[in-house]
Amino acid sequence: MNDKLTSKVINRLTLYHCILADYEENSCEYISSVKIANLLKLDNSQVRKDIKLLNNTGKCNVGYDVKALKKSIEKALGFEDVKDVFIIGAGNLGAAIAKYDRFQSYGLNVIALFDTDENKIGTAINNKKIYDIKDLPELSKKMNVDVAILTVPRRSAQKAADYLIKGNIKYIWNFTHYILDLPDTIKVWNENLIGNFLQFTLDKNKDKND
Amino acid sequence: MNDKLTSKVINRLTLYHCILADYEENSCEYISSVKIANLLKLDNSQVRKDIKLLNNTGKCNVGYDVKALKKSIEKALGFEDVKDVFIIGAGNLGAAIAKYDRFQSYGLNVIALFDTDENKIGTAINNKKIYDIKDLPELSKKMNVDVAILTVPRRSAQKAADYLIKGNIKYIWNFTHYILDLPDTIKVWNENLIGNFLQFTLDKNKDKND
């Protein structure tokens, strides 16, 4: 992992990746840094600097090779290391994520959901089975899963997290807006959708994508 | 708007807000910076520094007044300025957002959805009516809405954005993973869920919430 890939660089690289995926789908072979910069309203020099961090062999004067550049980004950002994940909570958000097949191309492979609702347990969303959350500790160990996406209602968040602790989950992507009480061995990413968006709508002078 | 509220500070303040909302619900009157720091695995000095930016009158030795601190954050982050928004795309993600009433406490008021699917048009999600996207330009002007959350499939993203342009929408929260071609008058926030999460799972030494 390249130390120069700060969070801002990673954020931009994933946006470049979106553009490259579109170019690849449309069978476009080359793309210039100017084109990427214009689409994202960034400086051309910024785009070239970011791409340079990937040690990509593309030449700026003829443009970058779309497939090769896309591959470099995937390698740098770890999209190639597929991580199996559980979704905890088969409600609106959990279902939306389970149906969102695009996560897979970023290395996240949803293999099952968990819920407490007896009407949901045993059914499936997008061919991913919904299990009783009580079975999580056993299944996470058996299936060797250590990443969980937590989408339960806020009031059930800690209770669900307690099952994740028992199941030796190591990474929690927390969408609940509840700050969990966890041992230091578990890393949690508190997803903060609204905070990100507010930074952008707040009347500030600098470009938030920059 | 305080210039010292960088994106990292804003991110932390919204996390403090989650904790304070929970304390308020549980009728806890005071909270210490140490408690906040421990829950978020941050340095106590960092929490105190952030809160100082809000010019909050709380005294650190008796703890902060929960209600007052929560209010200061809401004021600083603009949660009090309610923004009416449209959701474009009544699919899984659009529906999940429409059903997520918590956005309202952050100043985002979803007032309608738009779609192209005739089976959905005329129905409602969480009491928010689904309109034909063709009617957007007229309705956005009539209802004075200038913020749109774009959740359509990637292949329909630009087509939907063209309606937003016609409707004088000024801010787009783009969940489509498609980089839109837009005039400079429209600000777009390209939501990058997976990018944020990857930063956290990538094996890096520094704390990503910090």
Side-chain angles (χ1 to χ4, degrees):
Chain A
M1 184 64 207
N2 192 327
D3 276 347
K4 286 178 185 154
L5 296 186
T6 63
S7 61
K8 286 186 180 178
V9 175
I10 292 176
N11 190 39
R12 284 194 296 269
L13 289 176
T14 51
L15 296 175
Y16 305 166
H17 188 266
C18 291
I19 296 173
L20 294 165
D22 185 53
Y23 264 58
E24 192 180 53
E25 271 172 32
N26 290 294
S27 305
C28 302
E29 263 186 88
Y30 294 97
I31 190 164
S32 68
S33 55
V34 175
K35 180 73 197 173
I36 296 176
N38 286 349
L39 277 168
L40 294 169
K41 305 198 200 304
L42 293 172
D43 257 8
N44 181 21
S45 60
Q46 178 74 74
V47 175
R48 284 164 67 166
K49 215 172 112 191
D50 291 339
I51 292 177
K52 221 170 170 182
L53 293 174
L54 304 171
N55 301 320
N56 190 278
T57 52
K59 285 162 203 146
C60 299
N61 49 341
V62 296
Y64 300 99
D65 180 291
V66 168
K67 268 194 210 301
L69 181 54
K70 184 166 165 273
K71 203 87 188 157
S72 313
I73 294 177
E74 287 165 1
K75 206 172 160 188
L77 301 188
F79 295 176
E80 288 172 330
D81 306 325
V82 178
K83 290 170 270 293
D84 286 337
V85 302
F86 285 159
I87 294 175
I88 320 305
N92 299 314
L93 181 61
I97 296 175
K99 286 175 189 167
Y100 189 63
D101 286 324
R102 221 174 163 78
F103 268 6
Q104 191 141 26
S105 58
Y106 296 110
L108 278 195
N109 183 32
V110 175
I111 55 171
L113 293 93
F114 291 84
D115 208 289
T116 54
D117 183 344
E118 283 182 15
N119 295 317
K120 289 179 182 170
I121 294 166
T123 65
I125 295 174
N126 195 18
N127 295 319
K128 297 157 207 310
K129 204 172 158 189
I130 304 174
Y131 293 94
D132 189 330
I133 192 157
K134 287 182 187 142
D135 298 332
L136 189 141
E138 197 194 323
L139 284 171
S140 62
K141 290 170 195 165
K142 208 157 84 181
M143 293 168 133
N144 210 14
V145 174
D146 63 5
V147 185
I149 303 179
L150 191 62
T151 70
V152 299
R154 206 163 151 275
R155 63 184 178 282
S156 319
Q158 187 61 48
K159 210 173 163 190
D162 292 340
Y163 284 108
L164 301 180
I165 298 169
K166 275 187 214 149
N168 295 344
I169 293 291
K170 289 197 184 74
Y171 298 93
I172 301 176
W173 190 357
N174 179 18
F175 280 86
T176 67
H177 283 230
Y178 181 86
I179 306 300
L180 305 163
D181 190 6
L182 297 168
D184 289 338
T185 48
I186 301 182
K187 286 181 76 182
V188 63
W189 172 258
N190 293 302
E191 188 54 60
N192 187 8
L193 273 179
I194 197 84
N196 295 337
F197 183 64
L198 284 171
Q199 287 169 39
F200 153 75
T201 57
L202 285 172
D203 191 26
K204 298 187 77 180
N205 297 323
K206 45 183 225 164
D207 181 355
K208 284 301 154 293
N209 270 351
D210 194 20
Chain B
M1 183 64 205
N2 192 327
D3 275 348
K4 286 179 185 155
L5 297 187
T6 62
S7 62
K8 285 186 180 177
V9 176
I10 293 176
N11 190 39
R12 285 194 297 268
L13 289 175
T14 51
L15 296 175
Y16 304 165
H17 188 267
C18 291
I19 296 172
L20 294 165
D22 186 53
Y23 265 57
E24 192 181 51
E25 271 171 33
N26 290 296
S27 305
C28 301
E29 263 186 88
Y30 295 98
I31 190 165
S32 67
S33 55
V34 174
K35 180 73 196 173
I36 297 176
N38 286 349
L39 277 168
L40 294 169
K41 304 195 200 308
L42 293 172
D43 256 9
N44 181 22
S45 60
Q46 178 73 73
V47 175
R48 285 164 69 165
K49 215 172 113 191
D50 290 339
I51 293 176
K52 220 171 174 182
L53 293 174
L54 303 171
N55 301 319
N56 190 278
T57 53
K59 284 162 200 142
C60 298
N61 48 343
V62 296
Y64 300 100
D65 180 289
V66 167
K67 269 194 211 305
L69 182 54
K70 185 166 164 272
K71 203 88 188 158
S72 313
I73 294 176
E74 286 165 1
K75 206 172 161 188
L77 301 188
F79 294 176
E80 289 173 330
D81 307 325
V82 178
K83 289 168 272 293
D84 287 337
V85 302
F86 285 159
I87 294 176
I88 320 304
N92 299 315
L93 180 62
I97 296 174
K99 287 175 188 167
Y100 189 63
D101 287 323
R102 218 172 167 81
F103 269 6
Q104 192 141 22
S105 58
Y106 296 111
L108 278 196
N109 183 32
V110 175
I111 54 171
L113 293 94
F114 291 85
D115 208 289
T116 53
D117 183 345
E118 284 182 14
N119 295 317
K120 290 179 181 171
I121 293 166
T123 65
I125 295 175
N126 195 15
N127 295 319
K128 297 156 206 311
K129 204 171 156 187
I130 304 174
Y131 294 95
D132 189 329
I133 192 157
K134 287 183 187 142
D135 298 331
L136 189 141
E138 197 193 324
L139 284 170
S140 62
K141 290 170 196 166
K142 209 157 85 181
M143 294 168 134
N144 210 15
V145 174
D146 63 4
V147 184
I149 303 179
L150 191 62
T151 70
V152 299
R154 207 163 151 273
R155 63 182 179 283
S156 319
Q158 187 61 48
K159 210 173 163 190
D162 292 341
Y163 284 107
L164 301 179
I165 298 170
K166 274 187 213 149
N168 294 344
I169 294 292
K170 289 197 185 75
Y171 298 92
I172 301 176
W173 190 357
N174 179 18
F175 280 86
T176 67
H177 283 229
Y178 181 87
I179 305 301
L180 305 163
D181 190 7
L182 298 167
D184 288 339
T185 49
I186 302 183
K187 285 180 77 183
V188 63
W189 173 259
N190 292 303
E191 188 55 59
N192 187 9
L193 274 179
I194 197 84
N196 295 337
F197 182 64
L198 284 171
Q199 287 169 40
F200 153 74
T201 57
L202 284 173
D203 190 27
K204 297 185 80 181
N205 296 324
K206 45 186 223 163
D207 181 358
K208 284 301 155 293
N209 270 349
D210 195 18

